[in-house]
Amino acid sequence: MAAASACPAPMSATSNGAWNGDDPLHHSLPLIILQICLVLVVSRSIAFLLRPLRQPRVIAEIIVSPSFPCLPAPLLATESRVAVIAASLCLQGGILLGPSALGRSKRFMDNVFPKQSMTVLDTLANIGLLFFLFLVGLELDLRSIRRTGKGALAIALVGISFPFVIGIGTSFVLRATIVDGARRAPFIVFMGVALSITAFPVLARILAELKLLTTDLGRMAMSAAAVNDVAAWILLALAISLSGSGSALVSLWVLLTGIVFVTGVAIFLRPVLAWIARRSLEGDSVKESYVCATLAIVLAAGFATDAIGIHALFGAFLVGIFVPKDGPFAGVLIEKIEDLVSGLLLPLYFVSSGLKTNIATIHGAQSWGLLVLVITNACIGKIAGTIVASVAVKIPLREAVTLGFLMNTKGLVELIVLNIGRDRKVLNDETFAIMVLMALFTTFITTPIVMSIYKPARRAASYSCRNVERKDMNSEFRIMACFHGSRNIPTLINVVETSRGTSCRRLILYAMHLMEFSERPSAIYMVNKVRRNGLPFWNKRDNADRMVVAFEAYRRLSSVSVRPMTAISDLDTIHEDIVASAEQKRVALLLLPFHKMQRLDGALESIGHAYRLINQRVLRHAPCSVAILIDRGLGGTTQVAPNEVSYHVAVLFFGGPDDREALCYGAVMAEHPGIVLTVLRFLPPPTANLENYNEDEMLISNFRANLSTAAKGSLNYEETPASDRDGIAAAIKNLGARTTLYLVGRSPPAVSLVETSDCQELGPVGSYLASSEFSCTPSVLVIQRYNSSGNAPDPADQVSEVSDVTGTPPAQVTPEPFQHEKGGT
């Protein structure tokens, strides 16, 4: 009987159902489903609560790992199985699923995480870990590491060696106190690796959150972290080879066999992966057989390294490193597996390991003193070593300190090292718990400390040309046009072409690609592509890329200076990048895409509420005039050659600053020989604002004075007394048959033309032109004039003020001009 209780019978896969009297929790499939759902709900809830603290999701995954005591004893004594499961699903903030908290309830553990289920849970978790390490390998580009400068290399080497030495010293203290009996050599190496690691994926996400990703400091941190990451895996392989239960000779054979395996992968497998990548062409779908073959290779490599005695994850990591990063193949692999692995399977790894750990083992003054010692040594080793190396390569002290805290970031890789050390019986439960708390603490403090000590951004020098209208209309005209993908580019370029005007005015176009940075591994791959090529949409090896072709062709065919840029940020804060870059580049007009795209049937369909919020926030904080482009295919689906431009532009003029800006922009467009401009003025009522009325009249008078000197039919002026909704709508529709582009102000003194609108940022007229009530097909530019006194905040738009444009460094937006110019910005 004792043997039977110690070795419970294995579970069957599926149940017959509760109606047949069968308990689903006694079968592996329904139980693992419950466990996965439980882990996902808890970890995502904690991640949501941590968002205001600007912490990466890994913090939530560490916290949800069942190791952190936080629940009151009465709850843990709950006897009802249903109540325990429901409570565990609903509780947030410090939820623990293991023996530190809910695991104190024997009923909970026996029903939700019974011992019989751990084999299935551990197997799924390790498969997730294996493919996660494959994704980590895909994120690392060996060519970028080889191109790492001497400064970054020095910082990486000192940042590894110094904490490694301190980790060795710490290991002697721990072996003399709480790790009695551990083998000296593997324990020393594991402690050194644990204190010297910098988590490359977590660091990238923290840099993106702080908008330092593509600054000089961010590039230095990423380069040093990449070198650190590779060195850490090599040291970990050494530690694993030493941790075997055999003799020193066996450990040597394990190490030598591992080296032979790496050599074989580099010589024989790398050409196979390169052949697959070459046959996966840009623009074509990658064959399913190639994806399946690569995933099978990952599993086979994992089997090989596990058979050697290292760990299955090393084989997967090596395959990821040797997959070519050029072309679409690596990106497709990431896209295929990242959500399943990072979102579903990987959290199971930390839960499965946490279920075997009890933080309650840290008790007494000695244990807590050792925790303080480990945290202090970890911070001193990494931060001090990085600072010394940074100062030695002539990095300013403040940036060196910031870099030190950034390089002290731990995360998933740290936990993997600790879990392997515990599985190999190198770390006991108390040591493991101390090291996990160290990793959590060092990662958690990174963001607030860096935000407090490093604010690289300063407001750009004041400039006067913040509007389309200016004293010298022949002065340089700078436009920043933002886009999310290739679909808007033809219309965007066609609009810019109409703004070129006369040859005596120099037009500079900053084309900003807005890219969302997420928690997904593809975000790191995207960043590496930025660092390698300068722009995510700029691929020097593939001139078929539509974005590059469009902008490069426009630059060559026109006299416009095109300067591509890239903003990589979370969608909630990407408006800060737009605002800071517009001010740093001294832009006069910001061109934003509308958050709705035209479908084949002509209707406008939203691409996401987040994109609408971006426009609202930019309208609030913009340092210059802003135009929102409602794209209905101006000029068709391709770029129109300059000598083939033939558009009819209509300005709807009600009065006020925004309408005056729209009229001035229309006048600039009218200088283009292919543009016919019609100004339709709606006469104001007698009670109109006198100040605005006088300025409106002056501008209209100047425009009408140019009618006689303009080419016949190129300028037209009309007036209508319509002031009610139906009259205004009828007058606008009369222009629709011959108009290809409308220019309207955002806030004209006009009645609302639609009863309800979900596009309040467009104003009364713009909302009508974007609605289904307006059935014509012209594109629309809704223009807001820059107000030097500050744009009034919209109470409905709950956005935090960007007082100093955040410390958002202009370098967060990565520029790479198509042409090299002396001077200019």
Side-chain angles (χ1 to χ4, degrees):
M1 293 295 294
S5 60
C7 300
M11 289 181 168
S12 60
T14 59
S15 72
N16 295 320
W19 290 109
N20 290 317
D22 206 356
D23 189 343
L25 297 185
H26 290 167
H27 301 269
S28 60
L29 179 60
L31 185 56
I32 192 66
I33 291 174
L34 174 64
Q35 292 169 347
I36 291 174
C37 293
L38 182 63
V39 170
L40 292 181
V41 169
V42 171
S43 62
R44 294 292 176 162
S45 298
I46 296 175
F48 177 78
L49 291 176
L50 290 176
R51 285 185 65 185
L53 300 179
R54 306 182 81 170
Q55 294 294 330
R57 197 176 72 199
V58 64
I59 294 293
E61 290 175 341
I62 298 174
I63 292 175
V64 79
S65 180
S67 310
F68 297 86
C70 214
L71 295 180
L75 178 60
L76 301 176
T78 303
E79 292 298 323
S80 167
R81 175 190 308 166
V82 176
V84 169
I85 296 174
S88 66
L89 287 171
C90 297
L91 288 172
Q92 299 178 0
I95 293 186
L96 309 174
L97 304 177
S100 299
L102 284 178
R104 296 180 189 175
S105 170
K106 187 175 184 300
R107 182 174 294 272
F108 174 82
M109 291 300 292
D110 289 345
N111 287 281
V112 181
F113 293 103
K115 292 182 179 179
Q116 306 96 302
S117 70
M118 294 311 298
T119 301
V120 177
L121 181 63
D122 287 346
T123 302
L124 274 179
N126 278 278
I127 289 176
L129 176 66
L130 185 143
F131 280 107
F132 172 73
L133 265 295
F134 172 62
L135 292 175
V136 172
L138 285 175
E139 292 171 0
L140 290 175
D141 186 358
L142 292 179
R143 290 178 303 174
S144 297
I145 295 176
R146 287 197 298 266
R147 291 196 300 265
T148 298
K150 293 181 180 179
L153 184 61
I155 292 171
L157 294 179
V158 176
I160 293 172
S161 56
F162 196 39
F164 192 91
V165 171
I166 290 184
I168 293 175
T170 306
S171 69
F172 287 108
V173 177
L174 293 177
R175 288 188 76 251
T177 52
I178 62 175
V179 195
D180 187 24
R183 296 178 59 193
R184 176 177 298 177
F187 184 70
I188 287 175
V189 178
F190 267 103
M191 287 299 301
V193 173
L195 265 64
S196 60
I197 277 179
T198 296
F200 177 79
V202 180
L203 174 63
R205 288 171 176 85
I206 290 177
L207 289 171
E209 181 68 32
L210 299 177
K211 300 191 178 298
L212 300 174
L213 192 59
T214 53
T215 62
D216 291 337
L217 182 69
R219 293 190 189 97
M220 183 72 73
M222 289 285 284
S223 298
V227 176
N228 192 305
D229 214 18
V230 173
W233 288 115
I234 295 173
L235 291 173
L236 180 58
L238 174 63
I240 293 175
S241 66
L242 294 174
S243 65
S245 57
S247 63
L249 182 60
V250 172
S251 297
L252 179 61
W253 276 113
V254 170
L255 186 60
L256 292 177
T257 310
I259 294 174
V260 171
F261 176 79
V262 173
T263 305
V265 169
I267 296 175
F268 300 107
L269 182 59
R270 187 175 186 178
V272 174
L273 295 172
W275 179 84
I276 293 176
R278 285 196 303 270
R279 293 180 65 87
S280 303
L281 301 178
E282 192 80 41
D284 295 338
S285 59
V286 176
K287 291 183 178 180
E288 181 185 0
S289 59
Y290 293 163
V291 176
C292 292
T294 305
L295 298 183
I297 290 172
V298 172
L299 294 173
F303 174 82
T305 51
D306 190 76
I308 290 171
I310 304 178
H311 197 289
L313 61 85
F314 282 97
F317 178 70
L318 280 174
V319 175
I321 283 183
F322 286 116
V323 170
K325 306 305 186 290
D326 293 325
F329 185 62
V332 169
L333 287 174
I334 292 175
E335 184 180 347
K336 294 283 186 183
I337 66 176
E338 63 177 343
D339 289 335
L340 177 65
V341 172
S342 299
L344 191 66
L345 297 179
L346 187 62
L348 298 181
Y349 177 76
F350 302 104
V351 170
S352 69
S353 60
L355 285 169
K356 308 166 190 172
T357 305
N358 191 350
I359 288 261
T361 55
I362 303 179
H363 60 278
Q366 175 180 279
S367 294
W368 289 107
L370 290 174
L371 173 62
V372 173
L373 174 68
V374 170
I375 292 176
T376 303
N377 285 352
C379 293
I380 290 177
K382 199 70 174 179
I383 297 172
T386 303
I387 291 175
V388 170
S390 301
V391 172
V393 296
K394 308 296 176 56
I395 293 179
L397 181 60
R398 175 173 291 187
E399 294 187 8
V401 174
T402 304
L403 193 57
F405 279 99
L406 289 171
M407 296 298 291
N408 197 35
T409 301
K410 311 296 182 185
L412 301 181
V413 179
E414 171 84 2
L415 294 184
I416 292 171
V417 172
L418 298 179
N419 282 316
I420 293 175
R422 189 190 56 193
D423 293 341
R424 296 290 177 124
K425 308 301 182 183
V426 176
L427 307 177
N428 61 20
D429 284 350
E430 187 174 358
T431 308
F432 176 81
I434 288 174
M435 300 302 293
V436 168
L437 285 177
M438 179 272 293
L440 178 64
F441 178 81
T442 54
T443 304
F444 193 88
I445 65 173
T446 299
T447 298
I449 289 180
V450 171
M451 290 178 65
S452 64
I453 66 176
Y454 186 69
K455 295 183 178 180
R458 296 177 174 83
R459 279 197 175 273
S462 178
Y463 66 102
S464 57
C465 297
R466 298 176 182 264
N467 301 314
V468 177
E469 181 183 16
R470 71 280 301 276
K471 293 181 179 179
D472 182 9
M473 291 299 291
N474 288 325
S475 61
E476 184 178 75
F477 187 25
R478 298 189 174 203
I479 297 177
M480 178 179 287
C482 304
F483 60 96
H484 307 295
S486 60
R487 188 171 173 182
N488 290 120
I489 291 178
T491 298
L492 184 151
I493 291 179
N494 291 335
V495 169
V496 172
E497 170 59 26
T498 63
S499 311
R500 189 156 55 92
T502 58
S503 58
C504 59
R505 180 192 300 113
R506 186 182 182 213
L507 177 62
I508 298 178
L509 169 63
Y510 295 96
M512 176 179 281
H513 190 186
L514 306 180
M515 303 191 71
E516 179 183 10
F517 189 93
S518 66
E519 294 282 352
R520 305 170 70 180
S522 56
I524 306 296
Y525 177 75
M526 176 184 66
V527 171
N528 285 332
K529 196 174 179 183
V530 174
R531 295 173 62 221
R532 184 169 67 250
N533 293 333
L535 290 172
F537 63 93
W538 170 251
N539 189 339
K540 296 176 181 177
R541 293 178 176 268
D542 183 12
N543 291 326
D545 190 287
R546 288 178 294 176
M547 296 183 187
V548 177
V549 169
F551 285 109
E552 177 67 7
Y554 180 59
R555 184 191 70 81
R556 291 179 182 275
L557 295 174
S558 67
S559 58
V560 176
S561 176
V562 181
R563 301 180 181 180
M565 307 173 70
T566 303
I568 307 174
S569 186
D570 184 87
L571 293 184
D572 291 337
T573 60
I574 201 168
H575 68 281
E576 298 174 7
D577 301 273
I578 299 172
V579 169
S581 298
E583 186 162 23
Q584 195 259 347
K585 300 300 183 184
R586 304 198 302 275
V587 170
L589 181 66
L590 258 173
L591 190 58
L592 302 175
F594 189 43
H595 72 278
K596 292 183 178 181
M597 302 287 290
Q598 189 174 32
R599 300 193 311 234
L600 293 177
D601 61 0
L604 294 175
E605 182 178 36
S606 176
I607 60 174
H609 183 66
Y611 295 98
R612 179 190 177 194
L613 294 179
I614 292 172
N615 289 349
Q616 291 178 348
R617 291 162 180 157
V618 172
L619 285 170
R620 169 183 290 184
H621 301 295
C624 59
S625 294
V626 181
I628 297 179
L629 172 62
I630 303 172
D631 181 10
R632 290 195 176 101
L634 178 67
T637 58
T638 58
Q639 174 191 345
V640 177
N643 59 352
E644 297 178 1
V645 170
S646 180
Y647 303 141
H648 195 133
V649 179
V651 177
L652 305 180
F653 190 89
F654 292 85
D658 294 345
D659 279 19
R660 291 196 296 271
E661 187 76 350
L663 179 54
C664 290
Y665 194 29
V668 170
M669 291 183 171
E671 296 176 6
H672 196 289
I675 298 297
V676 175
L677 177 67
T678 297
V679 176
L680 176 60
R681 185 187 187 189
F682 296 88
L683 295 176
T687 57
N689 181 281
L690 183 60
E691 180 180 354
N692 271 332
Y693 179 79
N694 291 337
E695 294 186 20
D696 294 343
E697 283 297 320
M698 183 179 300
L699 187 63
I700 290 291
S701 298
N702 292 336
F703 176 78
R704 298 182 69 175
N706 294 327
L707 292 176
S708 58
T709 59
K712 184 177 181 181
S714 63
L715 290 181
N716 302 291
Y717 178 78
E718 302 176 12
E719 291 183 348
T720 176
S723 58
D724 62 304
R725 178 187 301 174
D726 294 337
I728 294 174
I732 294 175
K733 287 183 178 180
N734 287 336
L735 285 176
R738 62 182 188 273
T739 301
T740 51
L741 177 66
Y742 280 102
L743 300 181
V744 299
R746 182 193 174 208
S747 303
V751 298
S752 178
L753 302 181
V754 290
E755 294 184 2
T756 59
S757 173
D758 61 347
C759 308
Q760 299 299 325
E761 68 274 13
L762 299 182
V765 181
S767 296
Y768 170 69
L769 296 176
S771 69
S772 57
E773 298 179 23
F774 185 71
S775 58
C776 297
T777 58
S779 296
V780 183
L781 275 177
V782 180
I783 299 177
Q784 171 185 279
R785 179 186 175 90
Y786 171 71
N787 182 1
S788 59
S789 62
N791 298 318
D794 181 3
D797 183 18
Q798 300 297 327
V799 184
S800 60
E801 285 292 332
V802 186
S803 56
D804 63 346
V805 197
T806 203
T808 302
Q812 163 66 16
V813 181
T814 305
E816 179 179 308
F818 284 119
Q819 56 184 5
H820 300 284
E821 299 180 1
K822 296 181 179 180
T825 304

